[in-house]
Amino acid sequence: MDWQTSEDTVPSSPVTEADARLLLGRPPATGAWRDGDPAGDRRFAAFGAFRTEGGAELPAYRLAFETWGELSPTRDNAILILHALTGDSHVRGPAGPGHPTDGWWDGIVGPGSAIDTNRWFVVAPNMLGGCQGSTGPATIAPDGYEWAARFPYLTIRDQVHAQRQLADALGIDVWAAVIGGSMGGMHALEWAIEYPDRLERVAVLSAPPANTADQIALNSVQLEAIRVDPRFQGGEYYDAADGDGPHRGLALARRMALLNYRSPTELNQRFQRSWQSEVSPLGDGGRFAVESYLDFHGNRFTRRFDANTYITLVEAMNSHDVGRDRGGIEDALSRVSATALVVGIDSDRLFPIEGQHRIARGIRTTLDGDQAAVISSDFGHDGFLIETPTVSTHLRRLLES
């Protein structure tokens, strides 16, 4: 669960007047990519009926994805990269028509980078339930209306099963590596457990073996912030005019989430008790700089995301428990046969390092024995997106193994 845009994956900084001007105008009812919008670098794969773990059925679905590099004749050089909660398929490349942000891992993926696209064929899908080209709540259902709140409940395993169908469609029987961070790390871990014969390596970055009660509680208040927005209208807001959608609830949910993605150390060092302007926040109507910072990023988020989608994906994260129906977490982890890299951030307060150590202890094939590789960072959970040199070093170790 992270910010997933290059603008956000830099150290926190005060909001300038130029930043604020970027958000002039009313936000749309949804920031979802819609049919008819520029496709950008997306490709699309369409599939037939899909039955969820809970027994609901989508009559058909599609996944949007992007690729870099060339698939070898023997199809043995493919890497699957899985994004986090608010990310998408745009791992690298500039913002432009169809892509609201620059690639979220530009420093990691590309020619000569840790995931070298001169060597590897990289595939990055937008997850099922997402809002950037894959079927989700903002997609038109067979009756001609958006799925909205009718969209079925998804689990992490559902999303991985959909990704497996994409692999089949691309003719990739075995991934050279499956790599993911945060929610994408949940997917990567599920891949290694559910389909151990279909990947040679796995990287799990800043993800837990199961969402805890504390994490579910934090998620619940974010979802309630969306649902209590009167403009949410039970999820039926897609026909609302600009400015009349549930942007306030979605922005508030985002502000809550951001507090878990960064560490107290970074926020305190960057902002201290500074004011946003010369107007005092001590009773004179001014604001602290950190307040304006959260507002800015919350409001910007509403221009590229969708409220129903946020609910769908957060609930999928809440489903995450690799031990469910598998005899417990340790029994599930013992199924992994891929060479594994498990990475945690020492300042991560969303998914604390103890969770990554538990994953590493349970997998017999980790690079670092029974301990996760620990990155020391002031940036908290988002360190796996920001600490590019260190993350690159670890990923090179995995891909050279």
Side-chain angles (χ1 to χ4, degrees), residues 15 255 271 276 281 286-296:
V15 175
R255 290 178 68 185
F271 297 103
Q276 178 61 25
R287 312 201 74 208
F288 287 103
V290 71
E291 294 178 294
S292 293
Y293 169 79
L294 291 173
D295 272 350
F296 173 77

Side-chain angles (χ1 to χ4, degrees), residues 75-146:
R75 299 177 178 269
D76 62 353
N77 69 329
I79 291 178
L80 179 66
I81 294 182
L82 302 166
H83 67 78
L85 170 66
T86 61
D88 56 30
S89 63
H90 201 49
V91 170
R92 66 170 282 105
H99 299 296
T101 60
D102 293 337
W104 54 265
W105 233 10
D106 253 326
I108 299 289
V109 179
S113 297
I115 303 176
D116 187 352
T117 51
N118 290 328
R119 175 185 178 189
W120 304 105
F121 175 65
V122 176
V123 179
N126 182 216
M127 72 180 78
L128 182 64
C131 65
Q132 288 297 319
S134 294
T135 297
T139 305
I140 302 298
D143 62 3
Y145 297 92
E146 289 85 0

